[in-house]
Amino acid sequence: MIVSEPAPPSLRGAGGTWRCLARRGMLHSECESFEQIRLAPGASWAHEPAHGTEAALYAVAGSASVEAGESAGRALDTGGALLVEARAAVRVTAGSEGLDLLAVRVLPADVASRLPVRVPELPTREQTPIFRPPTEDGR
């Protein structure tokens, strides 16, 4: 995963801002991205089936109405979380005070299960105290 340095939001619009805090760095990662979304009052964010990812949304501040498919809106308030299936159409519309969201997008299990097994490896000369796998004797 590639983690972004603090920077101004990547996208600005009348409806708010979006910033990718971390993203998939290679195909062998189930996590697609970690995003910060700020919606102005009444602005919307949508998750479409075409995105091909599942999402976990966490409301950092504010409130919103959530519409999923044909179902009526339900509330999402500060501290609330919402799990969105890969093939779901969901629209989040910010309440009167706006909404700060954190979104983690991941590949659905049926896709992730087809990825090769990953074992982090670094050549010995590139290992640091932060990443140094234990030896056979446990040290």
Side-chain angles (χ1 to χ4, degrees):
M1 180 159 274
I2 298 170
V3 179
S4 302
E5 292 183 23
S10 303
L11 295 176
R12 291 182 193 271
T17 61
W18 170 88
R19 176 184 328 198
C20 183
L21 302 173
R23 64 182 168 79
R24 178 171 48 96
M26 56 189 280
L27 181 59
H28 305 298
S29 176
E30 297 89 358
C31 187
E32 184 67 26
S33 65
F34 180 52
E35 304 165 352
Q36 176 188 30
I37 302 160
R38 289 191 172 142
L39 296 175
S44 293
W45 174 88
H47 180 274
E48 302 292 339
H51 292 164
T53 59
E54 295 179 340
L57 307 176
Y58 175 75
V60 176
S63 65
S65 173
V66 178
E67 294 179 28
E70 303 293 320
S71 67
R74 66 178 224 217
L76 177 64
D77 297 312
T78 300
L82 176 67
L83 300 177
V84 182
E85 295 178 358
R87 288 153 190 87
V90 173
R91 177 167 301 281
V92 177
T93 302
S96 61
E97 67 279 10
L99 179 68
D100 274 356
L101 273 179
L102 291 178
V104 177
R105 295 184 194 242
V106 298
L107 296 176
D110 62 332
V111 173
S113 66
R114 291 186 235 147
L115 295 176
V117 176
R118 294 177 330 282
V119 177
E121 270 185 41
L122 285 174
T124 303
R125 68 182 182 284
E126 294 179 26
Q127 292 178 12
T128 66
I130 292 173
F131 177 78
R132 184 168 290 130
T135 59
E136 287 183 24
D137 64 1
R139 291 187 274 161

